[in-house]
Amino acid sequence: MKVPLLDLTAQYASIRGDIEDALAAVVASQRFILGPEVEACEEAVADYAGCRHGIGVSSGTDALLVTLMAEGIGPGDEVVTTPYSFFATAGSVARVGATPVFADIDPVTLNVDPGRIAACVTARTRAVIPVHIFGQMAEMAPIMEIAESHGLVVIEDAAQAIGATHGGRRAGSVGHYGCLSFFPSKNLGCFGDGGMVVTNDAGRANRVRALRVHGEAVEYRHGVVGGNFRLDALQAAVVRAKLPHLDGWSDARRANAARYGRLLGDFAHEHPRRLRLPATVTDRHVFNQYVVRVANRDLVRERLAAAGIGTAIYYPVPLHLQECFSGLGYAAGDLPESERAAELALALPVYPELADTRIEYVAGVLRAALAGL
């Protein structure tokens, strides 16, 4: 049986008519840059995320970058974040000239550990970027307490977690900014690159809105130097057409994750050193990825591949050990939980259209591979 890690064609087939109508309307209007389609998308996504303002941007990476720019963060400043994330989280900090400072992760959720954040704050710290890894929100309440006590900005990297909730709040709505990604593999993906900044602060929204068009608040008047970070109308149309389906897709991901739990839970309990399942400790985990931790990860992955099962490794090298950050002075062993996750984590297929028979097949092959170690 062939089981890909992700199958976007199945999703597209189910909503093809809606997508084609949305794209055709933009083409007929010939309004491709910003305009009413982008504005409608911004309003819909911000409302979904529980925020007053949405600013469509060119990618999730640029969402992080433009929020840092909006806060004037740059050389001499420090930003505390997690080392266990996609590169853009720390790369955006470096791009504005600031220094990323890495706090180790919680071994249960793989999200940044708030207690570790507190230990990283110095007089130079300006912001904290918690990442809601794999679709589960970080513990935002203690993070916000730390930020408020030190006067720090909180930028939620919610690229993997649109629709996740905890404590009655949605991902992106708790901090000063939320950064979303519409990369095609995300739970809400467009047909290329796209992203959005959400916020409840009108002043911050206006700064981001100007920065995405070269710092232009009034036509041909530039108060600051920004960039070209605009979300185009075709991508906005795809996002808006998909948004009504998002909760159903996320619920299907959650159901698939629960099925893995039923099929693999006894093995994980009996052999905790061979298999560790993802833990849900928040109200609504949306499982952008279903990541298990396995012994002899590379060998297990080879055995799954031989059985036709697609997997992925998120992330094989934690950020503090990336070559480009070698000047920061981190060494192997400094952040052990992140390093352990990088060594053991393996993502299994969990996309909404995944049939039960395929989940059973993946679980059976995984059990056999681990039992044979």
Side-chain angles (χ1 to χ4, degrees), residues 251-338:
D251 287 344
R253 288 175 177 272
R254 287 161 51 80
N256 290 344
R259 189 166 188 82
Y260 276 127
R262 291 191 295 272
L263 293 168
L264 295 170
D266 62 330
F267 189 97
H269 179 73
E270 294 170 10
H271 305 283
R273 294 191 178 187
R274 296 192 192 186
L275 175 63
R276 188 168 182 174
L277 302 181
T280 299
V281 301
T282 54
D283 299 340
R284 189 172 191 252
H285 189 328
V286 295
F287 289 99
N288 181 240
Q289 305 292 347
Y290 185 85
V291 176
V292 297
R293 281 168 278 178
V294 296
N296 294 318
R297 192 259 315 279
D298 294 342
L299 176 59
V300 171
R301 191 182 188 205
E302 289 175 7
R303 292 180 177 179
L304 291 174
I309 297 168
T311 60
I313 298 174
Y314 301 103
Y315 298 91
V317 181
L319 297 178
H320 68 290
L321 299 181
Q322 293 287 347
E323 181 181 355
C324 62
F325 293 134
S326 60
L328 298 179
Y330 292 95
D334 286 350
L335 302 172
E337 296 298 345
S338 297

Side-chain angles (χ1 to χ4, degrees), residues 37-49 51 53-64 66-67 156-159 162 172 177-183 188 193-199 208-209 212 229-231 235-236 239-240 243:
E37 185 62 52
V38 173
E39 291 169 4
C41 178
E42 291 171 335
E43 182 178 350
V45 172
D47 182 68
Y48 180 85
C51 293
H53 309 280
I55 307 95
V57 294
S58 39
S59 67
T61 300
D62 287 339
L64 291 166
V66 75
T67 54
E156 293 178 68
D157 184 338
I162 186 169
Y177 301 95
C179 295
L180 306 175
S181 170
F182 303 135
F183 188 76
L188 181 63
D193 278 314
M196 190 169 293
V197 176
V198 291
T199 181
V208 171
R209 199 170 282 114
R212 74 173 171 180
F229 305 133
R230 300 171 300 198
L231 177 67
Q235 302 303 343
V239 170
R240 195 155 70 99
L243 183 59

Side-chain angles (χ1 to χ4, degrees), residues 28-341:
S29 75
Q30 291 293 291
R31 295 285 300 275
F32 298 112
I33 304 298
L34 299 181
E37 185 62 52
V38 173
E39 291 169 4
C41 178
E42 291 171 335
E43 182 178 350
V45 172
D47 182 68
Y48 180 85
C51 293
R52 296 187 183 93
H53 309 280
I55 307 95
V57 294
S58 39
S59 67
T61 300
D62 287 339
L64 291 166
L65 181 64
V66 75
T67 54
L68 291 163
M69 293 171 66
E71 293 298 321
I73 294 171
D77 297 328
E78 294 177 349
V79 178
V80 181
T81 190
T82 171
Y84 190 65
S85 177
F86 180 63
F87 182 79
T89 306
S92 299
V93 176
R95 283 183 65 190
V96 298
T99 300
V101 176
F102 297 112
D104 209 358
I105 60 174
D106 180 282
V108 175
T109 66
L110 306 183
N111 277 316
V112 66
D113 184 338
R116 304 283 184 174
I117 291 175
C120 291
V121 174
T122 72
R124 297 172 60 189
T125 307
R126 290 284 311 283
V128 179
I129 304 180
V131 178
H132 305 315
I133 202 74
F134 304 139
Q136 178 163 229
M137 287 180 68
E139 289 289 341
M140 290 302 298
I143 292 173
M144 293 305 295
E145 289 177 6
I146 294 165
E148 289 167 9
S149 66
H150 294 280
L152 308 178
V153 175
V154 176
I155 300 168
E156 293 178 68
D157 184 338
Q160 301 178 10
I162 186 169
T165 62
H166 188 52
R169 303 287 293 276
R170 285 206 160 175
S173 70
V174 184
H176 300 96
Y177 301 95
C179 295
L180 306 175
S181 170
F182 303 135
F183 188 76
S185 64
K186 297 297 190 288
N187 289 23
L188 181 63
C190 60
F191 283 3
D193 278 314
M196 190 169 293
V197 176
V198 291
T199 181
N200 286 303
D201 187 309
R204 287 185 160 104
N206 288 335
R207 290 202 296 275
V208 171
R209 199 170 282 114
L211 284 165
R212 74 173 171 180
V213 286
H214 302 286
E216 180 185 86
V218 179
E219 190 173 19
Y220 297 118
R221 299 292 186 271
H222 302 264
V224 294
V225 176
N228 183 3
F229 305 133
R230 300 171 300 198
L231 177 67
D232 73 68
L234 288 169
Q235 302 303 343
V238 173
V239 170
R240 195 155 70 99
K242 285 187 171 187
L243 183 59
H245 304 275
L246 177 57
D247 280 338
W249 291 334
S250 295
D251 287 344
R253 288 175 177 272
R254 287 161 51 80
N256 290 344
R259 189 166 188 82
Y260 276 127
R262 291 191 295 272
L263 293 168
L264 295 170
D266 62 330
F267 189 97
H269 179 73
E270 294 170 10
H271 305 283
R273 294 191 178 187
R274 296 192 192 186
L275 175 63
R276 188 168 182 174
L277 302 181
T280 299
V281 301
T282 54
D283 299 340
R284 189 172 191 252
H285 189 328
V286 295
F287 289 99
N288 181 240
Q289 305 292 347
Y290 185 85
V291 176
V292 297
R293 281 168 278 178
V294 296
N296 294 318
R297 192 259 315 279
D298 294 342
L299 176 59
V300 171
R301 191 182 188 205
E302 289 175 7
R303 292 180 177 179
L304 291 174
I309 297 168
T311 60
I313 298 174
Y314 301 103
Y315 298 91
V317 181
L319 297 178
H320 68 290
L321 299 181
Q322 293 287 347
E323 181 181 355
C324 62
F325 293 134
S326 60
L328 298 179
Y330 292 95
D334 286 350
L335 302 172
E337 296 298 345
S338 297
E339 293 167 35
R340 191 172 295 112

